Amino acid sequence: MTRLRSLFVIGVPGAGKSSLAAVLAPRLCLPIVEIDAAIEAATGRSISALMLAGEDTYRGLEAEHTMRHIFDDALVVLTGGALEHPHASALLRDVLARGDSALVTCRVSISCLARRQGLNAPRSVGLGPVRSRLSALMRQRERAWARFDPIVVDTDTLSPSQAGQTVVDALAVRGFAVEGAGH
């Protein structure tokens, strides 16, 4: 059995990454590093404010902080777009190739995500077809994440605890010694 050195969790906003990390970290004896929180701490600005200032600025910070924390012995909560940056993607591939780390994808349906993110509420027509754009983005990112052979956990109907157990079980199947992974 291999000791799990780091676990990366990725998904779209609202997929349950942070909730899953909160359940898994103590079970896996890993500290949590949330990339969005690291960006906010470093800049003193919220992610929303950074996105309003310009998506390119945010994406640059996203790549910088992903690459900074990719070698941490931790449970790293990646942003949904973290692996779109070629250097961050290559570094993650290298880390996963060591054999002591794994990637988890939190998958959520568009209808569940719409409920969680309030996309079912009335909104300005000027925003356009938000659900269809988000659905297309989700499909695109899930295809990109699939190249990393992730553990996929559907978060629509599972509680964070159930999703955590699903991940722990999948890690064991992949040959990881999961210390502290009991209930």
Side-chain angles (χ1 to χ4, degrees):
M1 298 296 261
T2 303
R3 181 182 79 81
L4 183 66
R5 186 169 162 186
S6 53
L7 184 68
F8 302 93
V9 178
I10 198 164
V12 296
K17 300 180 301 288
S18 296
S19 297
L20 179 61
V23 168
L24 283 173
R27 293 186 70 186
L28 301 176
C29 302
L30 292 171
I32 297 174
V33 174
E34 290 213 35
I35 298 301
D36 273 348
I39 292 169
E40 289 178 336
T43 63
R45 299 175 73 191
S46 72
I47 298 303
S48 297
L50 289 167
M51 289 295 278
L52 287 174
E55 187 173 354
D56 289 344
T57 299
Y58 171 73
R59 295 296 172 203
L61 290 164
E62 176 185 57
E64 174 189 333
H65 285 272
T66 297
M67 290 185 289
R68 180 177 300 156
H69 293 287
I70 206 108
F71 295 105
D72 290 359
D73 291 354
L75 193 160
V76 181
V77 180
L78 299 169
T79 60
L83 301 182
E84 291 180 16
H85 189 279
H87 295 298
S89 183
L91 286 174
L92 180 62
R93 188 170 305 289
D94 291 346
V95 169
L96 293 174
R98 293 185 318 212
D100 60 2
S101 302
L103 175 68
V104 173
T105 299
C106 292
R107 184 168 48 199
V108 62
S109 69
I110 190 67
S111 60
C112 184
L113 187 62
R115 281 191 309 278
R116 291 179 185 175
Q117 298 289 68
L119 298 177
N120 289 337
R123 65 182 182 348
S124 168
V125 176
L127 293 175
V130 175
R131 283 177 69 135
S132 63
R133 286 186 192 160
L134 184 55
S135 183
L137 178 66
M138 288 169 60
R139 285 190 305 275
Q140 172 192 347
R141 287 189 173 169
E142 286 175 357
R143 282 191 302 273
W145 302 332
R147 297 183 322 226
F148 294 89
D149 188 29
I151 295 167
V152 178
V153 60
D154 289 306
T155 61
D156 277 12
T157 59
L158 297 178
S159 69
S161 180
Q162 291 168 323
Q165 187 61 50
T166 299
V167 171
V168 167
D169 292 346
L171 288 168
V173 167
R174 289 183 180 207
F176 289 102
V178 189
E179 296 178 27
H183 292 280

